[in-house]
Amino acid sequence: MNKYQELKIWNKAMELVEEVYALTKKIPDEEKFGLISQIKRCSVSIPSNIAEGAGRNSNKEFIRFLSIANGSTTELETQLILVIRLKFTSKDKVEKLLNLCAEIKKMNYSLQRSIEKT
């Protein structure tokens, strides 16, 4: 599978990255090399691992990279919750991102199951 750009999950993950970058502009500058950097790296990791897995030569490896992407999604959720708890922004502004994360995780599990059946 080399057409990762056609995968709905990859496109949804790219949308998440765009939203994350918009949100991080609202976090205080003193977090630039801490939380902001971590949130950005984590979000970029999600579509990157999906793409890398799709570019591998086996379903087993694709599933492994989807699993890594899922871990990054969960990590991002934790960081977004932390942004709320530290009062860097309101829960309303983060809610859309948390919903995207939940949607991506569901898509990820479904894709993994469908690959396992082939």
Side-chain angles (χ1 to χ4, degrees), residues 54-95:
R56 296 294 175 134
N57 293 325
S58 75
N59 286 345
K60 185 177 179 181
E61 284 194 76
F62 191 13
I63 291 170
R64 184 171 73 86
F65 278 92
L66 287 171
S67 178
I68 293 167
N70 197 57
S72 294
T73 307
T74 304
E75 180 182 358
L76 178 59
E77 284 176 322
T78 298
Q79 293 161 358
L80 292 172
I81 292 167
L82 187 57
V83 165
I84 296 167
R85 291 178 74 160
L86 294 172
K87 297 182 179 22
F88 288 147
T89 191
S90 68
K91 184 176 181 180
D92 293 342
K93 293 183 180 175
V94 177
E95 198 68 35

Side-chain angles (χ1 to χ4, degrees), residues 100-111:
L100 276 171
C101 286
E103 188 176 351
I104 289 167
K105 287 194 320 186
K106 286 178 187 173
M107 293 171 81
N108 192 322
Y109 289 129
S110 294
L111 182 55

